[in-house]
Amino acid sequence: MDNVVPGKARRLPVMADVAARAGVSHQTVSRVLNSPDLVRPATRLKVEEAIAALRYRRNMSARALATSRSHLIGVVTPAVTLFGPSHTSLAIQEAALDFGYATISAATETARTSPTDVLDFFLTLGVDGIIVVAPTMQTAVEAQRLAGTLPVVAIATDLPEPGPLHVVAIDNEQGARDATAHLIGLGHERIAHIAGPFEWFDARARVVGWQAELADAGLPVPEPVSGGWEGADGYAGAQQLLAQRELPTAVFAANDYMALGAMRAFHQAGLRIPEDIAVVGYDDVAGCEFYEPPLTTVRQPFEALGRHAIDTLFAALEGRSGDPEPNRPELVVRESCGAQQGEPVG
């Protein structure tokens, strides 16, 4: 068996082993790994077959010494298991792999880790850049502190005074506008909003979009019902609406979990959805098409956001300008709003 000495662990293959098996030079193997378009297809195929046969994996430490880059990206995430931040982090990881980079993730704003702790830890690892999923001002301020040291991309909606930060975002205000406009188009005039935590940028942007769309339509703009991000928060918010003298005809919830909680409260109160009250959520979490009735919601483009964040980081590493345009979400029409599933939006 190749690379095996009795009584010892198997030696991992190195680039010289790949070169010997393929019958090419060490430099040719390096070109196949780093600039494959410069190598003739027949030669490239021989090298790729040798890599597969030997199960060769490049030595990242040696690569870092040769390129002066660690090929590591630090990703700061909030200490929550919510659909949005978790899918954003996964999208960043997938996009980084396409560039030959690995990501290291760490949660912040926990009982044991502050944003400062996490960001300083990434510096000790020699990461080439940092992407911060920054839902709150506390995390954003710490990201700004490091932005002059190495490239830092913040995923944050409507971040005031970003300074040296490179900011990418999903246009949550527009997503909220689209959801509200759709309800208005269906004839609703009393549209309530169960909001997320006000310290989150995304929650504030969704409030602004809902308010602006109502105002533009000349409709009453009530106070939002404050909430959190969980189903229990939506349930509690719906209870507040049920206690009001005049019940809204439609509710826009700041995420799908809260929409589900609100639907539960309305069902318990004997209200039919959407005949008595329409409900729209936000995020398009897995399974919400199986709610009863299936939930109309706003789908966030997490894959595009992850790619946008990575592209922006590499643009900063190379001294180029990134694309500042926010990613636009998409309204997904199902039955909970009173329209037929698949009905055109607008």
Side-chain angles (χ1 to χ4, degrees):
M1 185 181 294
D2 292 344
N3 303 326
V4 174
V5 177
K8 293 188 176 182
R10 179 175 176 175
R11 177 177 67 82
L12 294 175
V14 296
M15 197 178 293
D17 298 323
V18 176
R21 189 178 185 103
V24 299
S25 67
H26 179 282
Q27 290 80 4
T28 298
V29 176
S30 179
R31 281 195 291 272
V32 169
L33 292 171
N34 297 297
S35 302
D37 293 341
L38 301 180
V39 183
R40 289 185 302 173
T43 302
R44 186 169 69 239
L45 179 61
K46 287 196 300 182
V47 172
E48 289 171 346
E49 289 175 343
I51 289 172
L54 293 173
R55 297 183 180 179
Y56 167 77
R57 296 292 183 271
R58 62 174 64 192
N59 187 316
M60 295 301 291
S61 297
R63 188 181 180 199
L65 288 172
T67 62
S68 299
R69 287 191 178 181
S70 66
H71 292 267
L72 294 174
I73 296 170
V75 180
V76 181
T77 63
V80 293
T81 57
L82 295 172
F83 184 83
S86 63
H87 276 65
T88 300
S89 299
L90 179 60
I92 292 168
Q93 176 182 313
E94 293 293 322
L97 288 173
D98 291 340
F99 285 87
Y101 271 67
T103 58
I104 303 173
S105 297
T108 187
E109 298 185 32
T110 70
R112 299 181 60 183
T113 58
S114 69
T116 302
D117 296 331
V118 171
L119 292 167
D120 288 346
F121 172 67
F122 282 153
L123 287 182
T124 68
L125 298 178
V127 297
D128 293 329
I130 295 175
I131 297 176
V132 181
V133 182
T136 66
M137 182 58 70
Q138 180 186 2
T139 306
V141 168
E142 290 301 319
Q144 287 173 322
R145 179 178 65 85
L146 277 186
T149 307
L150 77 171
V152 179
V153 175
I155 297 178
T157 301
D158 296 329
L159 180 63
E161 300 180 5
L165 281 175
H166 304 274
V167 178
V168 300
I170 290 175
D171 194 342
N172 281 282
E173 183 176 334
Q174 185 61 54
R177 273 184 168 271
D178 291 344
T180 308
H182 185 63
L183 289 169
I184 294 170
L186 292 172
H188 294 284
E189 297 183 352
R190 300 192 308 277
I191 303 171
H193 179 52
I194 305 177
F198 190 71
E199 65 269 20
W200 282 59
F201 295 126
D202 290 356
R204 292 208 300 267
R206 292 168 200 176
V207 170
V208 169
W210 162 75
Q211 290 174 329
E213 196 65 31
L214 288 176
D216 287 352
L219 295 175
V221 183
E223 286 295 314
V225 176
S226 61
W229 290 123
E230 304 296 337
D233 299 307
Y235 184 89
Q239 294 286 2
Q240 293 184 49
L241 295 174
L242 288 166
Q244 293 179 0
R245 185 175 60 182
E246 187 175 38
L247 189 69
T249 62
V251 173
F252 165 44
N255 77 356
D256 293 338
Y257 298 130
M258 285 198 290
L260 180 61
M263 290 167 72
R264 172 69 171 167
F266 295 143
H267 280 305
Q268 287 182 337
L271 297 176
R272 298 167 302 162
I273 301 170
E275 292 86 355
D276 298 322
I277 189 165
V279 178
V280 174
Y282 205 104
D283 281 342
D284 196 26
V285 301
C288 66
E289 68 270 32
F290 297 106
Y291 289 5
E292 181 53 46
L295 182 64
T296 294
T297 185
V298 179
R299 178 182 296 154
Q300 300 207 63
F302 294 115
E303 183 176 342
L305 181 65
R307 171 66 61 175
H308 191 181
I310 289 293
D311 287 345
T312 301
L313 183 63
F314 277 95
L317 285 167
E318 297 166 5
R320 297 182 287 106
S321 296
D323 177 12
E325 287 298 314
N327 300 271
R328 180 163 180 164
E330 172 192 6
L331 182 66
V332 180
V333 177
R334 299 192 180 102
E335 296 169 26
S336 67
C337 63
Q340 293 298 312
Q341 188 162 342
E343 184 174 310
V345 176

